[in-house]
Amino acid sequence: MRRHLPLLALLFAAQIAAAPPKLEKRAIISFDPGWRFLQSDAAGAEQPAFDDAAWRAVDVPHDWSIAGPFDPQNTTGGAGGFLPAGIGWYRKQFTLPESDSAKSVFIDFDGVMANSDVWINGFHLGHRPYGYVSFEYELTGHLHFGSGRANVLAVRADNLLQPASRWYAGAGIYRHVRLLVLDPVHVAHWSTFISTPGIDPGSALVHVQTSVANQSQTASPVGIQITLFDPSGTQVADTTLPSQTIQPAQTAEFTTELRVNKPSIWDISHPVLYTARIRTRAGRRTTDDELTPFGIREFHFDAATGFWLNGRNFKLKGVCLHGDAGALGVAVPLSAWQWRLAALRELGVNAIRTAHNPPAPEFLDLCDRMGFLVMDEMFDCWTVGKNPYDYHLYFAEWSKIDTRDTVRRDRNHPSIILYSAGNEIHDTPKQQLAKAILSGLLDVFHTNDPTRPVTQALFRPNVSHDYEDGLADMLDVIGQNYRENEILAAHAAKPSRKIVGTENGHDRKVWLALRDNPPYAGQFIWSGIDYLGESRRWPVIGNSSGLLDRDGFPRPDALEHQAWWSDRPVVNMVRRTAAAYVTPTDPGYETAPVDRRQSAFADWTPADLSPHEETVEVYSNCAEVELFLNARSLGSKSLPEDASPRVWQVPFETGTLRAVGKNGGAAVAQNELQTAGKPAKILLTTIRERLTPGWDDVACITAAIVDQNGIHLPRATNLIRFSTNSAGKIVAVDNAGNASHEPFQTSERSAYGGRAIAIVRATSDAGRLVISASAEGLAGSEVSIELQKGNPNEF
């Protein structure tokens, strides 16, 4: 399988959701640009008068660790991809007009890695240890207003003590930052909660609750107006709630229900979003307005039949994802996630587990828009640590606060169907401790969102007796990592249990356990995409467990999963070698040729082109597959009941190997592999036809080394040099090789597996961005992308 370019391009070309109504009162100002950064500690840097002139100018999101260098002496070790750690400072100067002096002003951070402290004009606003949570501080009372009166926002992120994570976690202000300027009477932060408790074909009941804060000096009668807009932006429901008198420094809660006629239902194949606009009114004056996207849908887990969405029963075909995107680190533009999720969707993936922490909020927005179901996970540990300096040091003080804030932030996303309280928690052998912690977390989840079930990725529950001591049955849906026979046995022992696989391997027996057992709601494969870190030894800097490699190309396992999971006819082929091969944990892995780093190859270009026999595996969901070598039929094979591949022993000869899938005797899909000749040129491709300037919109440019006929050479390692015209810039390069120590933030990269990528960003909103690639001894190539104005979140 190759990337299905028309499908992926369509996802980028189409605007998935219509623009919602615009805000009229509240001001939300991006605070991403214009920071100064220092990659070390600096005494007194929180003070406004501190001289930061020598600091580097950066925009956020910014992950400073990804710049490297890779070094076996870096204290993050293999878990952190051997990338650097330490302390980083950020400072930003800004001014506010005198007209804002009577307003309430807040700063929102979507995520700072990690142990962050924030100051405004020298005043310490607060500390947050967990790098994956979003948080807000109020700046009111600590600001200067008027022309020439500068304010200084300072942030210190402390990642010095390592190891603090089992995977690459990055460093710095790696998510977006916003300034909010509000009337003192306004909708309280994360207080709006929208659910759809009743849906029938003719109408849907929409439940809305919110809180209004009065930060003025006088009591104020406040009412609210709630208006619902459909996916096209048309108003479909409206109500005004009676006023409540809110005293100074107090809040009041408002709750109501509205009915939407002939609702458009959110589904994985129809991810449409409504918008709720809440306006606060003090007398005749509108003081604030807030926009909240939501989806109208119904889901539940059933102990006997698994997962249901909008009356349909189907399996969760999920993958686990860490938060980095290879060369981009953990500061990931939204468009990068979009092309990655689109590549997973092509395999048949319909669900994502955010392993093992809350994601960036815009990632959940994207899942809403693309129709993915999400398990929103909180923690990788509780009070028993997995590293000397990980979250267990802060769990007792912060876990309930972090859970509350995350649930309140995320509870309006229709994509979320499960919360997870933790992954492979090592507290569970201590029965009383673990049950007390889980009980407290469940209270926080259910208090802040009673509409969604909570699971936990149980770790060897038969060893820690989770099924016997009652811990597993505290969960709304029981989750277990691996050992599928154990969770199925637990269900057989108590059929009222709702069960899901929270982390699973790639083997066929794993798929059969899901396919053949109706109570088993779904599985989340470890992992969806290769990621940095979790390496057991130098020089390996990444983990190769993904269905996709870091650059988004499918591994052979992915081709088999596509045949199991896809709803459309699929035919894929690989060569399967019997020779021993090395894994990333074996000595000599870094110097071994690509042929010895895996045992399956989606090509017809073996290293040995002399006569020999090749084992060909065909992965297909078609009733019949016929194999051809250079137009000669090698016979047909029927679909096995046990989902095993169809295997041929093929005498090798150069040329074309073609597999044709048939249903009812008619050809419905095919796959073709050709023998490559000598390297001749670079072939540049991209799925993007248009690009807008802005941090969140980037394009991935693939450089493949091909022969004179355009056939990819799977073992080419040429050094490829990328360049752009003045309309854009290169953000990063990569080749998906987990033993490569070449820097990401440069313009050249050695090919691995015959490919390398460049990630580019537009610096203009007109004309064309031209990207070129060259390599010694090869004909170069270029590709161009049309540039346009627009919202970079609407691809």
Side-chain angles (χ1 to χ4, degrees), residues 100-169:
D100 286 344
S101 60
K103 301 288 182 68
S104 295
V105 184
F106 300 85
I107 191 75
D108 283 7
F109 291 88
D110 286 345
V112 181
M113 186 63 65
N115 299 298
S116 66
D117 288 275
V118 182
W119 293 264
I120 181 67
N121 295 328
F123 177 82
H124 186 243
L125 295 168
H127 173 79
R128 292 301 285 253
Y130 199 29
Y132 296 107
V133 292
S134 301
F135 53 91
E136 179 179 85
Y137 293 124
E138 184 169 4
L139 308 185
T140 312
H142 307 290
L143 294 167
H144 310 305
F145 297 91
S147 177
R149 302 193 66 196
N151 298 281
V152 178
L153 185 66
V155 180
R156 182 180 187 267
D158 185 353
N159 296 276
L160 182 63
L161 298 178
Q162 296 290 334
S165 175
R166 295 190 302 113
W167 57 89
Y168 177 73

Side-chain angles (χ1 to χ4, degrees), residues 23 44 49 204 209 250 474 543 776 792:
L23 291 170
Q209 69 181 61
Q250 299 295 313
M474 295 172 66
N543 188 287
E776 187 175 349

Side-chain angles (χ1 to χ4, degrees), residues 11 103 106 125 181 212 268 309 341 429 448 454 552 597 659 662 696 720 735:
L11 283 168
K103 301 288 182 68
F106 300 85
L125 295 168
V181 181
V212 177
I268 58 174
L309 177 66
L341 291 182
N448 290 281
V454 181
R597 296 191 197 181
K662 302 176 183 179
D696 265 314
I720 300 174
N735 64 7

Side-chain angles (χ1 to χ4, degrees), residues 22 40 220 223 225 253 269 274 336 359 363 403 426 433 440 501 503 513 536 596 619 634 648 676 779:
K22 294 182 179 180
S40 68
S220 179
Q225 179 188 21
E253 185 169 300
S269 60
Y274 284 72
F363 178 87
T403 301
H426 290 186
L433 171 67
E503 187 171 315
R536 295 193 176 123
R596 294 198 61 228
Y619 309 134
L634 303 182
W648 279 263

Side-chain angles (χ1 to χ4, degrees), residues 463-491:
V463 176
S464 52
H465 306 290
D466 299 339
Y467 292 126
E468 302 165 20
D469 64 20
L471 183 140
D473 290 317
M474 295 172 66
L475 299 166
D476 303 313
V477 177
I478 297 173
Q480 180 176 335
N481 287 4
Y482 306 104
R483 304 187 181 200
E484 292 75 20
N485 59 317
E486 291 184 3
I487 194 170
L488 290 171
H491 179 270

Side-chain angles (χ1 to χ4, degrees), residues 351-369:
I352 304 296
R353 175 192 180 204
T354 65
H356 303 291
N357 48 261
E362 68 270 18
F363 178 87
L364 296 173
D365 293 337
L366 187 60
C367 290
D368 291 343
R369 291 165 49 197

